[in-house]
Amino acid sequence: MKAKHRILAAGMAAAMTLSLAACGGSASTAEPTASSTVEAAAPEATSEAAGGDVTEVTWWTYFGDKNIGYLQNIIDDFNNSQNQYHVTIVYQGNQMECNAKLQSTEKENLPAMFSGAVEDVAMYANSDFCVPLQKYVDADTEGWQELDDTWDALRSAYSDGQGNLIGYPIGYSYPNIFYNADLLKKAGVDPASIQSFDDLYDASKTIVDGGFATYGIGFFANGAMFNVALGREGVQAYNNENGLNGQPVTECLYDSDTTVHDSIYNMLSIYQKMGAEKLCVPYGADYQSEIIPQMASGDCAMMMGVISMTTKVLDAAAGNFEVGVIPMPSASESGKRTGEPAAGTGTYVCDNGNEKAMQGAYEFIKFASTGEQAGYFASATGYIAPNQEAYDSAAYKTYREETFPGISVVYDSLAKSDSSATNPYVAISNEMRDANKVAMETAATDPTADINTVITTAKDSIQEALDIYNQSNS
């Protein structure tokens, strides 16, 4: 099934004023967990649970306290809407800790459902503890309209190369650049013109050289942003179509494929130029304690991050300037730039051997994706509404029209997107992120570093991890 794109409401390119959304909470190596100061109204429960045998459905998560609070409202609604299942959510540490526990726990002690990052989809699909959602979708005689109406780019990110659904997003965090709209206007920089790293360099140089701010931009220091920039222009950095043609990834193409190499070289060269010319906040600075305060003070004009950071940005700005947001730029000026790389967290069925509990996990995932529930969670946290029904819900309609009109830019881009921004479908996602982060950090902090050597070093590290994994799973 291919996801549909309905025409979004008029005014998609409307004002880019942001006034509230979300970020903060527990640690995650993939992205900061969103939370919010907004107390969005929870949907009403539909019925009271009846007596009888009820199957416990345990959910392991790395969401922080505030998000768990919002999710508990959805869980309560689900538990009260039927009498077959009872969902309980349990915090299991940060993303890495949760993954490690899933991998080391005996089958009978596993939960029926777990939270996981979108860039780890291949790892989950190739694990013993995850059951692809497609198994339940195929057996579902009632249908799942919200799945049909999920944005193409987002659904493909949670599927394998054959279109089989592995998990479903519950916290879709969009890679983007936040900016001080008042400052950019004074500097004569059109934010819509920033579509590539080249454009980002030009804008930052204009801002800094003109004395409008000390720094043009601060970077969220996370290896996933490397893949996001490549995905934006449709670059596949691994063989077998990024692992999506039915064959496993066996080769990292960083220095052997001209298109891949040139895009990475361009991006890393700009990181290096910006660091050497002091156009950016020193790479590695903490986004929450260092970069956002510098944006608030006017010392930094922009920040590359994810949409779940919105509330922290807006709270820091405190209405002193208009905050805008633009989609993540591409690594170079080449390519289609129609891909929308996914970030954030999905929900997956976990194989604990209890078929009824696992079916209950699927039923909850469906329930949480409905317009009322998913729209509530998106409006409460700042995450993106994953499907058309959530976008059209009353709670999210109020949020996007009254609280966060700038989000229209994101949905305008999503409406024009395709599925070319494929995340690498590799099971060694942790090693890949680490190598990518080292490459970006080396380029940004060492003006004498040879970029080709940086690329080869990253490739060698990833290739070694690939070889070890493939040899162990052949």
Side-chain angles (χ1 to χ4, degrees):
M1 293 181 290
K2 186 173 178 63
K4 301 175 183 176
H5 269 164
R6 297 189 201 167
I7 298 175
L8 300 181
M12 276 298 189
M16 301 178 73
T17 306
L18 312 188
S19 57
L20 204 66
C23 176
S26 69
S28 167
T29 58
E31 60 158 315
T33 303
S35 62
S36 178
T37 55
V38 182
E39 296 301 326
E44 293 293 326
T46 55
S47 66
E48 294 295 324
D53 294 333
V54 178
T55 299
E56 184 66 25
V57 179
T58 303
W59 178 6
W60 284 3
T61 190
Y62 53 80
F63 276 120
D65 288 344
K66 280 194 174 180
N67 276 358
I68 287 177
Y70 298 129
L71 292 170
Q72 189 62 53
N73 290 327
I74 299 174
I75 290 169
D76 290 345
D77 282 1
F78 176 75
N79 289 342
N80 290 332
S81 71
Q82 44 72 48
N83 59 8
Q84 297 184 68
Y85 312 105
H86 181 271
V87 172
T88 301
I89 190 167
V90 182
Y91 177 69
Q92 295 294 340
N94 65 29
Q95 179 188 322
M96 297 294 289
E97 292 166 339
C98 188
N99 281 344
K101 189 165 184 179
L102 286 164
Q103 292 166 336
S104 62
T105 300
E106 293 295 328
K107 181 174 181 176
E108 63 270 19
N109 295 321
L110 285 167
M113 181 166 54
F114 67 93
S115 300
V118 65
E119 63 264 29
D120 291 338
V121 163
M123 181 178 75
Y124 300 139
N126 288 283
S127 73
D128 294 329
F129 59 78
C130 178
V131 180
L133 277 183
Q134 195 64 46
K135 170 186 173 181
Y136 297 93
V137 172
D138 291 344
D140 190 344
T141 59
E142 296 180 357
W144 186 358
Q145 187 61 50
E146 291 81 10
L147 177 61
D148 293 341
D149 292 336
T150 297
W151 318 120
D152 286 339
L154 198 131
R155 178 170 173 173
S156 66
Y158 281 88
S159 302
D160 65 16
Q162 289 68 55
N164 297 307
L165 195 68
I166 308 301
Y168 191 83
I170 195 163
Y172 175 41
S173 193
Y174 186 86
N176 60 273
I177 290 177
F178 296 101
Y179 63 89
N180 181 327
D182 298 352
L183 193 154
L184 263 63
K185 185 176 181 180
K186 289 179 184 177
V189 173
D190 178 8
S193 70
I194 303 174
Q195 299 186 35
S196 69
F197 265 71
D198 303 81
D199 299 330
L200 184 59
Y201 171 83
D202 291 341
S204 296
K205 189 167 180 60
T206 296
I207 290 164
V208 175
D209 288 355
F212 297 99
T214 304
Y215 301 112
I217 192 167
F219 294 102
F220 177 38
N222 188 294
M225 306 306 278
F226 187 105
N227 293 328
V228 166
L230 293 176
R232 182 72 172 139
E233 65 185 75
V235 172
Q236 296 182 333
Y238 297 83
N239 70 335
N240 294 325
E241 299 176 12
N242 258 6
L244 290 167
N245 70 352
Q247 301 296 316
V249 164
T250 60
E251 185 181 358
C252 176
L253 306 177
Y254 284 10
D255 60 0
S256 59
D257 181 284
T258 300
T259 299
V260 176
H261 171 272
D262 290 353
S263 291
I264 295 174
Y265 189 96
N266 187 77
M267 174 174 62
L268 293 181
S269 294
I270 291 175
Y271 271 115
Q272 188 175 52
K273 287 170 61 178
M274 294 184 75
E277 298 175 24
K278 294 181 170 47
L279 300 179
C280 62
V281 177
Y283 192 90
D286 182 75
Y287 85 92
Q288 183 169 316
S289 63
E290 299 177 77
I291 300 175
I292 290 179
Q294 291 188 75
M295 278 195 72
S297 68
D299 288 337
C300 183
M302 297 177 283
M303 181 180 76
M304 182 180 291
V306 288
I307 206 69
S308 55
M309 298 172 176
T310 305
T311 287
K312 291 191 181 298
V313 174
L314 297 174
D315 286 350
N320 293 321
F321 57 85
E322 179 184 340
V323 179
V325 63
I326 56 176
M328 178 74 179
S330 60
S332 73
E333 295 184 331
S334 303
K336 297 174 13 176
R337 283 187 279 188
T338 51
E340 292 290 355
T345 298
T347 314
Y348 306 78
V349 174
C350 193
D351 185 4
N352 65 358
N354 185 330
E355 294 294 340
K356 188 169 183 183
M358 292 155 63
Q359 181 66 39
Y362 171 71
E363 298 298 339
F364 174 80
I365 292 170
K366 279 183 65 177
F367 180 87
S369 77
T370 58
E372 183 181 20
Q373 303 295 340
Y376 155 70
F377 189 65
S379 63
T381 61
Y383 281 124
I384 298 299
N387 54 57
Q388 188 74 46
E389 282 77 4
Y391 177 88
D392 290 335
S393 68
Y396 200 73
K397 184 173 186 291
T398 299
Y399 173 79
R400 60 185 168 82
E401 291 182 354
E402 299 179 11
T403 302
F404 190 0
I407 199 67
S408 63
V409 175
V410 170
Y411 289 100
D412 185 39
S413 187
L414 279 170
K416 299 173 184 174
S417 70
D418 55 33
S419 58
S420 64
T422 57
N423 283 326
Y425 192 74
V426 294
I428 50 102
S429 51
N430 291 332
E431 294 85 349
M432 175 180 62
R433 275 194 301 268
D434 290 345
N436 289 343
K437 182 180 178 181
V438 170
M440 293 185 293
E441 187 168 18
T442 301
T445 59
D446 184 358
T448 66
D450 178 74
I451 298 301
N452 279 320
T453 300
V454 173
I455 293 172
T456 298
T457 300
K459 185 271 293 184
D460 288 346
S461 178
I462 293 169
Q463 189 64 54
E464 180 181 11
L466 275 173
D467 292 342
I468 292 172
Y469 177 83
N470 289 331
Q471 288 168 11
S472 301
N473 292 274
S474 59

